Amino acid sequence: MGKLFGTDGIRGIVGENLTADLAFRVGQAVTHVLFEEKGEKPLMTIGMDTRISSDMLEGALIAGICSAGGDVMPLGTIPTPAVAYLTVKVEADAGIVISASHNPFEHNGIKVFNGQGYKLSDALEERVEEKILSGEEMATAKGAAIGKRIHGMKSLKNEYIKYLTETVEDDLGGLRILVDCANGAAAATAPDLFSHFALEADFIHRKPNGVNINDRCGSTHMKSLAAMVTAGEYDLGVAFDGDADRCLMVDELGNIIDGDKIMAVCGSYMKQQGTLTGHTIVGTVMSNLGLHEFCNKNGLRLVCTPVGDRNVLEKMLEYGYRIGGEQSGHMIFTDYATTGDGQLTALQFLQILKRSGKTASELAGICPQYPQVLVNVRLENVPGLKERIMDAPELKEAAQREEEAMAGEGRVLVRASGTEPLIRVMVEAKTEEIAQSCADRLAALVNSLKK
């Protein structure tokens, strides 16, 4: 793992470890690497979420790109998966996203897609990182070789919306849904998207002001959506995160439908339609034991990868699998997209819901769910601290003892976050009480190892 690029690009707190100067150098470095690959002036798209810092970082990136001789097409405020789709659509050489996904507004990030709409390879990321961290000045273009900003590209979001509407055949008429835009990028697309269908859609948290993205709303804060769904007698609630690459849902009773349940519903439907390659769903090590149980009983195969949608996608592409995702709501449908797409996921689920004639609770109820407790232990942002704690023999031994004590009726997963200074302790068990007490003991041990 590089010093800048984590599991989902470059992340940081703006003004501290993510600055305009760094963004400028990222723009220069990406341009130089693409020029080395292509042998001529590269073209890049760039999109962003609604954080107050996104405009500043966009300006710095554009300046870096143009100063190094690259052309840039700004897409404005738009979901991350839209950048991936439109990069391919306009035949650009790369697409850059400015977003920190589900994190608070103080955070932001820079992620790069290649010309095929996939995240930049590790090898290219390393070359970009090497140029940035070298500290050396990068060559700047002169005269006619200076790059330019291509205007009018914000209208391309309509191309993305049109494409999403074409991924389902049903008009979705008769459904009533409530959509939480997380005061993020979905606010720029979801109202237009759902207006193309015959369903009735209402929206909350769709007025971003730069600092309210993910603030007690969206896929990481579902309480208000659940309460409003039940009070308003909606058929389904849909929640996106800040950059709309993930989606979680709420059934008509107010119960959360997480990524595992969405995969169970969509995967079993695809199997019925004869479109599920190898009868296989790709999940991660975080997938609930309930999804394992569902797959075992319904003739499905669940393949689990390390956490991260990059790992899920790599496995899907390697074997031609067509659906995969994470419990947190990243869903990848390779028939339609090169990356996780929350709005695409919502449409696929809504079509199945409409065609099933069932309620959302009945539909999602096919997949059981073991009680799960997740405790995040925050660390100082000190290089090597996460690795030192994760390598501690006493932590590994304690996790093993706790899992053995549950005698096959639970599991323990302790892992370091790839994007934040956190150690995550996840425990599943027969009861929430057992899971909570186990998680608390392990979290206390992690805390003791911080010293």
Side-chain angles (χ1 to χ4, degrees):
M1 188 65 66
K3 295 177 182 178
L4 286 177
F5 285 92
T7 55
D8 203 24
I10 299 170
R11 290 281 181 90
I13 297 175
V14 180
E16 293 184 13
N17 55 348
L18 180 54
T19 63
D21 179 65
L22 175 58
F24 178 81
R25 287 183 64 80
V26 171
Q28 284 186 307
V30 171
T31 304
H32 279 291
V33 168
L34 291 176
F35 189 90
E36 291 165 4
E37 289 289 300
K38 186 181 181 184
E40 60 185 43
K41 174 180 284 192
L43 171 65
M44 279 161 271
T45 63
I46 186 167
M48 59 187 179
D49 69 19
T50 59
R51 291 162 214 273
I52 195 169
S53 60
S54 291
D55 287 332
M56 177 188 75
L57 295 174
E58 180 199 46
L61 279 161
I62 290 174
I65 292 166
C66 293
S67 73
D71 290 339
V72 61
M73 304 172 68
L75 303 171
T77 300
I78 199 165
T80 287
V83 176
Y85 171 76
L86 292 172
T87 296
V88 178
K89 178 81 174 177
V90 302
E91 299 182 348
D93 299 295
I96 300 178
V97 178
I98 304 167
S99 175
S101 189
H102 61 284
N103 288 341
F105 84 92
E106 299 94 337
H107 297 248
N108 216 325
I110 301 170
K111 177 164 54 181
V112 187
F113 291 106
N114 66 21
Q116 292 73 51
Y118 298 108
K119 290 181 181 178
L120 210 61
S121 70
D122 291 340
L124 286 182
E125 279 187 353
E126 287 173 8
R127 286 169 58 187
V128 170
E129 190 169 77
E130 184 179 343
K131 290 180 182 294
I132 297 167
L133 296 179
S134 70
E136 297 179 4
E137 279 195 29
M138 286 176 258
T140 55
K142 296 177 178 62
I146 294 172
K148 62 182 181 293
R149 170 178 176 153
I150 301 171
H151 293 272
M153 294 302 106
K154 290 182 181 180
S155 62
L156 281 172
K157 79 172 185 180
N158 295 322
E159 294 289 328
Y160 168 68
I161 290 171
K162 179 176 180 291
Y163 176 71
L164 289 181
T165 65
E166 295 170 349
T167 65
V168 294
E169 299 173 353
D170 205 289
D171 68 2
L172 308 180
L175 294 175
R176 290 185 69 243
I177 67 171
L178 183 63
V179 181
D180 185 342
C181 296
N183 290 318
T189 53
D192 288 341
L193 172 63
F194 289 110
S195 72
H196 282 76
F197 298 93
L199 51 68
E200 179 184 339
D202 293 320
F203 300 87
I204 57 174
H205 304 127
R206 58 171 292 194
K207 296 180 179 179
N209 62 14
V211 300
N212 62 1
I213 186 171
N214 301 316
D215 184 14
R216 291 167 292 175
C217 60
S219 62
T220 51
H221 300 87
M222 306 276 285
K223 285 186 178 179
S224 64
L225 177 64
M228 294 179 73
V229 165
T230 55
E233 298 184 347
Y234 290 93
D235 297 308
L236 188 72
V238 177
F240 302 115
D241 65 337
D243 66 337
D245 67 348
R246 69 170 73 180
C247 167
L248 294 180
M249 302 176 197
V250 173
D251 69 25
E252 79 286 357
L253 302 177
N255 301 310
I256 292 177
I257 302 173
D258 67 7
D260 288 340
K261 287 181 174 287
I262 294 170
M263 284 193 289
V265 169
C266 294
S268 58
Y269 178 80
M270 291 169 68
K271 181 189 174 190
Q272 293 168 13
Q273 300 299 306
T275 61
L276 187 65
T277 304
H279 292 178
T280 297
I281 295 170
V282 181
T284 74
V285 292
M286 289 290 286
S287 290
N288 192 274
L289 283 170
L291 180 59
H292 289 261
E293 183 178 305
F294 170 80
C295 290
N296 288 335
K297 291 181 178 179
N298 290 275
L300 295 167
R301 180 169 172 254
L302 178 62
V303 174
C304 290
T305 73
V307 172
D309 58 331
R310 180 193 289 257
N311 297 317
V312 172
L313 180 61
E314 285 178 357
K315 184 65 67 174
M316 295 174 72
L317 295 177
E318 183 180 0
Y319 293 99
Y321 299 138
R322 302 170 85 169
I323 181 173
E326 299 185 278
Q327 188 185 51
S328 60
H330 281 114
M331 297 292 125
I332 304 173
F333 295 84
T334 50
D335 285 343
Y336 307 115
T338 57
T339 189
D341 190 324
Q343 292 173 117
L344 171 65
T345 299
L347 289 178
Q348 302 307 306
F349 189 93
L350 283 165
Q351 178 166 265
I352 298 169
L353 178 63
K354 173 67 187 300
R355 291 180 171 181
S356 72
K358 298 178 179 179
T359 64
S361 60
E362 291 170 334
L363 191 63
I366 61 174
C367 182
Q369 189 169 38
Y370 278 59
Q372 184 182 84
V373 171
L374 178 64
V375 177
N376 291 322
V377 182
R378 186 160 291 277
L379 311 176
E380 294 295 323
N381 200 5
V382 176
L385 180 58
K386 283 193 290 190
E387 292 76 11
R388 179 173 64 78
I389 292 174
M390 288 301 300
D391 289 339
E394 54 264 53
L395 179 59
K396 295 177 181 179
E397 292 167 5
Q400 184 176 348
R401 283 197 307 271
E402 294 283 2
E403 189 162 283
E404 289 173 352
M406 288 186 279
E409 294 185 326
R411 67 184 183 117
V412 171
L413 178 65
V414 181
R415 69 178 187 88
S417 168
T419 58
E420 299 177 81
L422 298 172
I423 299 291
R424 305 189 190 277
V425 178
M426 189 276 286
V427 180
E428 290 171 355
K430 287 184 69 175
T431 69
E432 188 167 351
E433 292 76 15
I434 294 173
Q436 186 69 61
S437 61
C438 174
D440 288 343
R441 287 191 295 271
L442 289 171
L445 176 57
V446 172
N447 271 310
S448 71
L449 294 171
K450 294 193 304 185
K451 301 169 184 176

